[in-house]
């Protein structure tokens, strides 16, 4: 089995003709926590025409060299590296160098247009939580929804939970069928935590007339896929006998322990962990 030292020597030889191997060396040093060495090799990569500015900027950031990180992202963005626009958006939003919300919006939007799902999510969060449109709170939420939907179609299926939540709970945009549709979209693509959200919709009368059969079907599918929230909810069902389910103390403890083992805080508290 080759050691990292052997790999680095081999990649050094390969990098003479294929500079992308400088990135591979940088990655090895990152894994070892050798940030200074990683920086050197990521710099060699970009100096030889490889679009590795995001990695270079991130590594400068890990070393608390924020201005150098910002400069790397800026250079990468100028050369068309999509992730660099997302990083610049974060820099402008959080004050990594200086706060400029309008520039953050522009950078996130550019990264989103170039296919970066995380940038679409971050832009949605910016509109939703920081409400840059000062005279209309609902316009911020509408813009957030557009960004979240963009993120979903770029591959961020987890964002379906947030989209569904907005349609379920925002009084001005409330649309329960649309919330259910988004939850089901995400679930169909493998985001099994959405079983809990769908179960919640159908097991009470707040959103639709209750449908215990449908709600429990979603809940049990969440249990089957080890979703912590579904496990905890099902534990409570077995404890209390809600929704016409036979109460069972042993089943309650069994599912409570499974939920706690997966990090569900309420389950851990009930067990005294």
């Amino acid at each position: 089995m080759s050691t990292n030292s052997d790999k680095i020597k081999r990649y050094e030889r390969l990098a003479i003709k294929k500079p992308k191997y400088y990135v591979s060396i940088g990655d090895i040093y990152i894994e070892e926590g050798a940030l200074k060495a990683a920086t050197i090799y990521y710099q060699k990569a970009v100096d030889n025409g490889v679009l590795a500015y995001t990695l270079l900027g991130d590594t400068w950031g890990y070393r608390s060299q924020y201005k150098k990180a910002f400069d790397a992202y800026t250079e990468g963005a100028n050369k068309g590296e999509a992730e660099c626009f997302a990083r610049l958006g974060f820099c402008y939003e959080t004050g990594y160098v200086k706060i400029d919300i309008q520039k953050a919006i522009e950078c996130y939007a550019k990264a989103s247009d170039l296919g970066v799902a995380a940038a679409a999510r971050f832009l949605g969060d910016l509109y939703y939580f920081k409400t840059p449109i000062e005279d209309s709170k609902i316009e911020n939420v509408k813009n957030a929804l557009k960004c979240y939907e963009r993120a979903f179609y770029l591959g961020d299926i987890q964002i379906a939970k947030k989209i569904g939540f907005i349609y379920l709970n925002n009084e001005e945009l409330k649309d329960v069928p649309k919330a259910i549709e988004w939850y089901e979209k995400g679930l169909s693509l493998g985001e099994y935590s959405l079983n809990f959200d769908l179960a919640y919709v159908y097991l009470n009368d707040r959103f639709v007339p209750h449908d215990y059969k449908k709600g429990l079907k979603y809940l049990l599918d969440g249990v089957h896929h080890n979703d912590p929230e579904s496990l905890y909810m099902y534990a409570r069902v077995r404890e209390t006998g809600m929704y016409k389910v036979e109460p069972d103390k042993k089943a309650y403890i069994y599912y409570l322990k499974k939920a706690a083992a997966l990090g569900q805080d309420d389950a851990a508290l009930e067990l005294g962990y």
Side-chain angles (χ1 to χ4, degrees), residues 40-60:
I40 290 169
Y41 281 94
Y42 290 143
Q43 185 67 57
K44 284 187 176 184
V46 301
D47 288 345
N48 284 275
V50 180
L51 290 180
Y53 292 95
T54 301
L55 293 169
L56 177 60
D58 289 352
T59 310
W60 280 122

Side-chain angles (χ1 to χ4, degrees), residues 28 36 38 48-49 54 65 72 99 104 117 123 126 168 175 196-197 201 207-208 216 229 236 241 249-251 261:
I28 290 173
K36 185 175 180 180
N48 284 275
T54 301
Q65 299 286 327
I99 292 178
L123 182 54
L126 191 156
L168 211 56
D175 188 330
F196 171 81
D197 302 273
V201 169
F207 305 106
V208 296
L216 288 169
E229 298 300 329
R236 297 305 308 275
K249 183 71 172 178
K250 288 184 178 179

Side-chain angles (χ1 to χ4, degrees), residues 1-8 10-11 28:
M1 182 179 293
S2 64
T3 64
N4 280 347
S5 179
D6 293 333
K7 287 181 180 178
I8 289 170
R10 186 166 67 252
Y11 291 152
I28 290 173

